[in-house]
Amino acid sequence: YITPQNHGFAVDAKSLPPMWKPLFMNANDLTNEGIVHTSKPFFSVQFHPEASGGPTDTAFLFEKFVGHVRSIPQPIVLHDGLSYMRKTYKRVLLVGSGGLSIGQAGEFDYSGSQCIKALKEEGIEVILINPNIATVQTSQEKTDS
């Protein structure tokens, strides 16, 4: 059966009993995001697959589930977790929304300022190119110089 799990915890892949393997890994922090039994029709994800992030990124999970219900063999393809290793960056270029009329740039202004804040917390220098001068992204507390 398929079950979505809470994000308040992560299963340590090293603690899985025999016959259980990681199914998904978070590409950002390499935490486990799902497990699968290698011989029984059980798997779990630690996100909501019905959310359709992309818009059908996880449709294959439901196809796999329906296949199990109909007793159609469902092959499991497990990827090497080391393929998720990500590069680290010291500097990022953030491109602004441009000079729009009042109110149109608000979405980027908020998300861009949150992006700057998060990147600075990680010790990453942000180079902002934003021709919209009416923005909180250029506020003194956001700048490095």
Side-chain angles (χ1 to χ4, degrees):
Y1 300 101
I2 182 173
T3 62
Q5 303 298 322
N6 172 318
H7 286 279
F9 66 91
V11 174
D12 183 353
K14 296 177 203 150
S15 71
L16 292 173
M19 306 300 289
W20 286 93
K21 301 288 181 198
L23 180 59
F24 292 100
M25 287 178 62
N26 183 301
N28 293 313
D29 62 10
L30 302 180
T31 56
N32 184 290
E33 292 251 339
I35 58 176
V36 62
H37 196 278
T38 58
S39 66
K40 296 182 180 175
F42 307 138
F43 61 97
S44 174
V45 296
Q46 195 163 331
F47 53 84
H48 290 278
E50 75 282 1
S52 293
T56 56
D57 289 353
T58 56
F60 73 94
L61 292 171
F62 294 97
E63 293 165 7
K64 183 178 279 300
F65 176 74
V66 170
H68 282 305
V69 170
R70 293 181 176 161
S71 298
I72 300 170
Q74 299 295 304
I76 299 170
V77 178
L78 300 176
H79 297 280
D80 180 4
L82 295 177
S83 65
Y84 289 99
M85 298 308 266
R86 63 182 178 157
K87 294 181 180 180
T88 55
Y89 298 93
K90 295 179 183 179
R91 189 174 298 135
V92 172
L93 175 64
L94 180 61
V95 180
S97 59
L100 303 172
S101 63
I102 294 174
Q104 289 182 321
E107 290 293 325
F108 177 79
D109 194 36
Y110 176 77
S111 60
S113 61
Q114 294 302 305
C115 176
I116 292 168
K117 179 182 174 187
L119 290 168
K120 287 184 74 166
E121 287 174 1
E122 294 296 319
I124 299 171
E125 179 183 359
V126 179
I127 301 166
L128 174 65
I129 298 177
N130 187 7
N132 180 10
I133 59 170
T135 178
V136 297
Q137 295 172 25
T138 56
S139 297
Q140 191 64 34
E141 68 272 4
K142 300 275 189 259
T143 62
D144 286 321
S145 56

